Amino acid sequence: MSETTTPIVTIASIGQYEGQTVTLRGWLYNIRSSGKLLFPTFRDGTGTIQGIVPKAAVPEQVFETLKGLQLESSLTVTGKVRADSRAPSGYELDVENVEVISAVSAEEPFPITLKEHGVDFLMEHRHLWLRTPRQSAILRVRASIMRAASEFFDTDGFIRTDPPILTPNACEGTSELFEMDYFDNDKAYLTQSGQLYIEATALALGKVYSFGPTFRAEKSKTRRHLTEFWMIEPEVAYLELDGLMDLAEGFISHIVTRVLEQHRADLKVIGRDVAKLEAIIARGPNGERVPFPRLAYDDAHVMLEKAYAEGKIENPHKYGDDFGSPDETYISSQFDKPVMVHRYPAAIKAFYMQPDPADPTKALCVDVLAPEGYGEIIGGSQRVDSYDLLKQRIEDHDLPLAAFQWYLDLRKYGSVPHSGFGMGIERAVAWICGLDHVRETIPFARTLNRIYP
RNA sequence: UCCUGAGUAGCUCAAUGGCAGAGCAUUCGGCUGUUAACCGAAGGGUUGUAGGUUCGAGUCCUACCUCAGGAGCCA
């Protein structure tokens, strides 16, 4: 429509074009008017910018077109970029021309308004909710967290080896699995962890990781649960528990560092208290790295006993039991960095975890609890490397031995100490973004009660 | 699965057992610096579903449905 050629730019990069006439391709995010002045706000996926349209300065048709346009109509807009201290982003656009690509009907206006909505309504319109600045910012941070996570392993000699998503049996035999028919007579299940498979690839390649979707058919209805979520899992041959904790610490530090480097603006949109994240990677007085606190299960139990005696938690923690959500929240609230709780009682942990030689009733495992009550974001362990012990564990847990024969083979042919952990991406995103529910951390959350849209 | 809570206009919410209401959104009008703009007006309702109590039920009772938060379990 414009007779002259103007550069097509993104809102994120518009500062480079101050004083120039440019074209944006996007959507109408909001529009205000003051008589013969219009203030349309445009968005293009990279940000938002307010345009100014004085009636006297543009063709009648441009003014009337914008005035009658519904929110989220798509359009291209041409105008001159001007720095303005009144604008939140620092720039405004003096609109010269608009071309409507697709107008939204007034009979069915865009359902997501700038006012508040309920959770159910927003989730029902998730495909449109994604367009709002906060949701877009969260997805950008999610993408960077995933990139930083891969990057950490890729640059440290890890080989990405993704396990199958369709599996013949339960990994741990505890969680509920999504079941399906697999051709004739056989059942297949959606994976709930690729761990057993990457133990195999780790013994082949040394340092490996997997990154993919995971499925849990648990009837969990909380702010921390999805039925389909993404998990990144490293597995390393010849690595023992202490080294595994070092790995987890470096991993989390790297991700937080990258997010702080790249997403200050997004974190501001989300409303995240950045100081809480800076504390994660804060250095000591001489610039030295400050390790994450490491707390043995027994010491964590003592901490909880004291907290209960002082009335800081409602229910006493019974020694030998796993920590409940309120317990984890209390423990993590005592530190401003993620806390690594290790050596849980073997009886409450998975069959494949190596017993502690110093106390065989304990497992060489670690849970990383995120600060601010976000709970467990990482669970990991050193794996049983003895054939006989592993076989006995499988039998003790009433797991089908035949299905685990290949897994036992790993202990038959050159078994070595090895360790790994898994981090749930959505929980990490929820923590880093300071969200109160994981459903906002993934484009289309799958939960107990929702599989639409 | 258990516990708790919520379902009223497109959305967010009010309404002592006694006329069904507001803000936003939509439509119309006003306003040359608005930031979830503001001001005026109009249209918009099978109060989640099915029963019951009552002269009268959005409100009280029963069952069911949907959703949310929590517990357990987990990442």
Side-chain angles (χ1 to χ4, degrees):
Chain A
M1 181 163 253
S2 58
E3 61 281 6
T4 55
T5 306
T6 58
I8 295 171
V9 306
T10 62
I11 292 169
S13 66
I14 209 158
Q16 303 166 26
Y17 300 90
E18 189 184 340
Q20 296 182 45
T21 296
V22 300
T23 294
L24 300 173
R25 301 194 289 198
W27 296 263
L28 183 64
Y29 173 65
N30 191 19
I31 186 164
R32 292 175 285 268
S33 77
S34 179
K36 297 182 175 58
L37 259 187
L38 299 180
F39 296 97
T41 302
F42 307 106
R43 65 167 193 89
D44 72 346
T46 72
T48 61
I49 188 169
Q50 176 171 276
I52 306 164
V53 191
K55 186 167 186 167
V58 297
E60 177 83 13
Q61 176 257 335
V62 170
F63 188 88
E64 293 302 322
T65 296
L66 270 173
K67 193 178 168 187
L69 214 51
Q70 294 291 315
L71 302 191
E72 286 300 320
S73 294
S74 52
L75 45 74
T76 61
V77 55
T78 300
K80 185 180 281 187
V81 182
R82 180 170 43 75
D84 193 307
S85 59
R86 290 168 292 193
S89 68
Y91 296 94
E92 290 190 338
L93 193 72
D94 288 324
V95 173
E96 296 168 5
N97 202 358
V98 293
E99 182 178 358
V100 176
I101 306 301
S102 178
V104 172
S105 161
E107 277 73 51
E108 290 186 85
F110 191 68
I112 315 285
T113 69
L114 277 61
K115 295 276 183 175
E116 287 184 16
H117 295 284
V119 168
D120 190 38
F121 179 81
L122 288 171
M123 288 306 289
E124 201 69 14
H125 296 84
R126 180 60 173 169
H127 50 301
L128 303 177
W129 187 24
L130 295 170
R131 300 186 184 193
T132 60
R134 175 184 165 86
Q135 298 305 312
S136 295
I138 291 167
L139 292 185
R140 279 192 292 268
V141 174
R142 172 190 171 91
S144 286
I145 287 172
M146 294 174 101
R147 187 179 340 107
S150 294
E151 174 188 68
F152 177 82
F153 294 127
D154 289 339
T155 58
D156 193 27
F158 282 72
I159 305 300
R160 177 167 171 170
T161 59
D162 289 325
I165 288 168
L166 294 174
T167 63
N169 59 270
C171 164
E172 306 178 21
T174 53
S175 303
E176 299 283 334
L177 294 166
F178 285 104
E179 183 185 293
M180 61 176 61
D181 293 325
Y182 197 73
F183 303 115
D184 300 334
N185 302 325
D186 279 341
K187 292 291 181 192
Y189 305 88
L190 295 179
T191 180
Q192 58 177 340
S193 168
Q195 182 207 311
L196 270 48
Y197 290 99
I198 61 173
E199 285 186 50
T201 60
L203 298 188
L205 295 153
K207 299 202 287 189
V208 302
Y209 74 101
S210 69
F211 198 177
T214 303
F215 307 86
R216 304 271 168 99
E218 292 159 359
K219 303 214 167 179
S220 301
K221 254 190 333 191
T222 79
R223 64 184 64 197
R224 300 180 306 280
H225 288 87
L226 297 171
T227 54
E228 175 182 331
F229 64 96
W230 285 65
M231 187 151 67
I232 187 164
E233 299 176 275
E235 189 74 28
V236 184
Y238 289 103
L239 187 70
E240 302 188 11
L241 183 63
D242 285 348
L244 184 72
M245 290 196 275
D246 293 341
L247 185 70
E249 182 174 321
F251 176 66
I252 290 173
S253 298
H254 176 76
I255 291 170
V256 171
T257 300
R258 280 285 185 268
V259 170
L260 285 170
E261 282 169 3
Q262 300 167 353
H263 290 285
R264 296 273 174 174
D266 284 325
L267 292 171
K268 192 174 176 188
V269 167
I270 297 164
R272 182 55 161 137
D273 179 359
V274 178
K276 292 280 203 314
L277 295 180
E278 286 166 338
I280 308 304
I281 53 172
R283 301 267 169 166
N286 301 315
E288 77 278 12
R289 189 148 150 181
V290 180
F292 292 175
R294 297 183 186 192
L295 193 63
Y297 172 91
D298 285 4
D299 296 328
H301 170 73
V302 170
M303 180 183 278
L304 290 171
E305 274 192 323
K306 185 159 174 285
Y308 179 69
E310 293 170 356
K312 289 174 181 168
I313 53 173
E314 263 183 52
N315 298 307
H317 176 253
K318 188 174 155 222
Y319 185 83
D321 282 359
D322 208 345
F323 300 125
S325 248
D327 300 329
E328 287 187 355
T329 298
Y330 177 79
I331 294 168
S332 69
S333 72
Q334 301 307 106
F335 306 94
D336 57 2
K337 292 176 186 273
V339 55
M340 299 198 274
V341 184
H342 55 86
R343 293 180 171 81
Y344 285 66
I348 57 169
K349 285 293 182 180
F351 74 92
Y352 50 72
M353 291 183 179
Q354 177 80 8
D356 184 356
D359 174 3
T361 67
K362 296 294 194 319
L364 291 177
C365 64
V366 59
D367 282 358
V368 180
L369 309 182
E372 302 168 73
Y374 278 92
E376 183 181 350
I377 54 169
I378 280 180
S381 70
Q382 188 171 326
R383 322 303 191 188
V384 170
D385 53 49
S386 150
Y387 182 95
D388 292 339
L389 177 58
L390 184 62
K391 185 176 178 215
Q392 187 196 321
R393 286 283 183 84
I394 290 170
E395 288 167 350
D396 289 350
H397 283 76
D398 289 325
L399 297 171
L401 206 52
F404 286 94
Q405 195 53 57
W406 70 268
Y407 187 60
L408 280 164
D409 275 354
L410 304 178
R411 277 73 181 172
K412 193 188 286 180
Y413 301 105
S415 187
V416 297
H418 61 287
S419 303
F421 65 74
M423 183 181 81
I425 293 297
E426 288 74 21
R427 285 192 182 173
V429 175
W431 160 51
I432 289 172
C433 289
L435 309 179
D436 64 8
H437 203 298
V438 290
R439 67 182 155 226
E440 287 183 69
T441 66
I442 185 167
F444 294 94
R446 291 291 171 255
T447 59
L448 182 57
N449 292 315
R450 185 174 302 283
I451 195 166
Y452 176 91

